[in-house]
Amino acid sequence: MSSDNGDIRQIAVPMYTDDKGYLGRECPECERYFKITPGTGITEGHPPLHCPYCNHASDISDFWTEAQREYALSYAGNQLWGDILKMAKKALEFESKPRGGFGIGLSVKVEGKPAPIHHYIEEELETEVECDTCGLRYAVYGVFAFCPDCGKHNSLQMLDKNLDLAEKKLALAASLDTEISEAIISDSLGNVVSALDGFGRETCQVFTPPPAKTASVSFQNLAGARDRMLKAFGIDLSGVVEADEWAYAVRCFQKRHLIAHRMGVIDEDYIAKSGDPDAILGRRVTIDAAEVSRLIAVVRRLARGFVTAASGGDTAATERESET
């Protein structure tokens, strides 16, 4: 529409979502691409938009992608040139037919067409997330991210998702024959360890600056991770769960290491590090579904305690919640 003085024209540009309802966004700070679903998440007020990768926050209008800007400009140009052509045709076109035997006819035609619109297609991303705090549906490269609406980091949510999957695999194992069941249980144990390792590394990067101090820390070795966190940040991982839970988690993680690297055959290193009272040198270590299930519950509490401590909460008051 035009303003009262006719000098300004505003053109509404229609923006389209992809076939899953996502609209592309690009961070003005780190220039990385992600997608959100309009109409989900925070729907009242005008909260800033957060980059899921670097957590830069600013007005949502700052997050247009380059492809969207090109499309918007081409759309506006198409509309303007279309209107100019219409006005030119109306103002300039005429036809005067010849009169008499030697009359001369005269006509003016306005030719042309509006400039083309540069359409685009949103990119395919690797992980789709629904924020468990505000309900925003968004998609990112990688796995871990800050929610673009409420800014909450999804590390715990992604950990829970992987632990839920491990529990489903344990339930499946109960219905299969012994050999396959044992393989699935061992695989589930490995999944739990990997899930906590990925979660722990990400949490270090997000909550414990400077992250360079913990860039190489591995949470597959709980005792080593505890020593590194205690030295770098004063966070005692063993203190965010009960003493027996910590000892149990260490034993299970050592079992996973033994299965992965020594075909499950007990060695002196395992006996020394695991505190397993039933370990016999040279025998195969055992792991059953009940053990992994208990480990999952402990890992959930350990992860929440770590986040509380890393984000400045009172470690001693960490909630020792039941399995979620």
Side-chain angles (χ1 to χ4, degrees):
M1 62 182 179
S2 300
S3 65
D4 292 340
N5 60 18
D7 293 331
I8 299 174
R9 168 125 188 245
Q10 295 179 344
I11 298 175
V13 179
M15 303 302 295
Y16 302 100
T17 58
D18 64 16
D19 57 356
K20 292 184 178 180
Y22 288 110
L23 181 67
R25 307 275 79 181
E26 183 179 289
C27 176
E29 184 70 18
C30 69
E31 299 182 346
R32 298 179 69 184
Y33 176 85
F34 61 99
K35 295 191 290 189
I36 61 173
T37 304
T40 65
I42 301 174
T43 57
E44 297 181 355
H46 300 282
L49 191 67
H50 296 258
C51 172
Y53 308 109
C54 71
N55 203 28
H56 170 78
S58 60
D59 190 82
I60 192 171
S61 62
D62 296 331
F63 286 81
W64 293 112
T65 70
E66 188 62 31
Q68 289 168 344
R69 292 189 182 95
E70 290 181 3
Y71 159 74
L73 287 173
S74 67
Y75 183 91
N78 176 275
Q79 298 297 303
L80 286 172
W81 278 111
D83 289 348
I84 290 172
L85 287 172
K86 289 178 182 178
M87 290 187 293
K89 286 177 177 289
K90 184 177 181 180
L92 302 176
E93 284 191 345
F94 70 92
E95 182 178 4
S96 177
K97 294 182 179 181
R99 296 180 181 179
F102 297 98
I104 298 175
L106 182 63
S107 65
V108 174
K109 294 285 186 180
V110 176
E111 301 290 343
K113 59 182 179 180
I117 298 174
H118 298 292
H119 293 281
Y120 65 95
I121 298 176
E122 299 290 6
E123 298 178 24
E124 290 294 325
L125 297 178
E126 297 169 338
T127 304
E128 297 180 15
V129 184
E130 181 174 340
C131 179
D132 58 2
T133 297
C134 71
L136 178 73
R137 289 179 53 231
Y138 62 97
V140 294
Y141 286 115
V143 175
F144 297 109
F146 295 93
C147 173
D149 261 18
C150 68
K152 179 184 176 183
H153 199 265
N154 72 353
S155 54
L156 276 173
Q157 185 179 352
M158 292 295 100
L159 174 68
D160 283 334
K161 185 176 181 179
N162 282 288
L163 296 180
D164 289 345
L165 180 59
E167 288 182 323
K168 291 178 181 178
K169 293 173 72 173
L170 291 177
L172 174 64
S175 64
L176 302 174
D177 65 63
T178 303
E179 186 175 355
I180 297 177
S181 177
E182 289 177 352
I184 291 178
I185 291 170
S186 294
D187 185 58
S188 297
L189 174 61
N191 292 157
V192 174
V193 173
S194 295
L196 182 65
D197 186 43
F199 158 82
R201 291 172 185 268
E202 184 67 19
T203 300
C204 284
Q205 298 300 303
V206 173
F207 294 111
T208 55
K213 289 186 176 182
T214 54
S216 61
V217 67
S218 169
F219 285 78
Q220 295 185 22
N221 182 329
L222 287 182
R226 177 200 59 198
D227 293 343
R228 189 73 177 272
M229 293 295 98
L230 192 59
K231 181 179 180 181
F233 305 107
I235 298 173
D236 184 359
L237 290 179
S238 65
V240 302
V241 292
E242 301 294 344
D244 63 320
E245 292 179 324
W246 176 258
Y248 182 80
V250 168
R251 184 180 308 140
C252 288
F253 273 50
Q254 285 298 321
K255 284 188 177 184
R256 178 265 171 192
H257 180 81
L258 203 64
I259 292 170
H261 300 285
R262 288 189 54 82
M263 299 292 289
V265 178
I266 296 172
D267 59 10
E268 293 180 352
D269 189 57
Y270 171 79
I271 294 175
K273 292 181 178 179
S274 69
D276 187 347
D278 300 320
I280 300 176
L281 188 66
R283 299 281 185 89
R284 289 190 63 190
V285 74
T286 60
I287 187 78
D288 60 34
E291 288 181 89
V292 179
S293 182
R294 182 188 174 193
L295 175 64
I296 290 173
V298 173
V299 165
R300 291 189 196 273
R301 288 191 284 274
L302 177 62
R304 281 161 173 76
F306 181 32
V307 168
T308 299
S311 58
D314 182 0
T315 305
T318 297
E319 179 184 6
R320 289 168 171 80
E321 59 185 24
S322 60
E323 181 179 343
T324 55

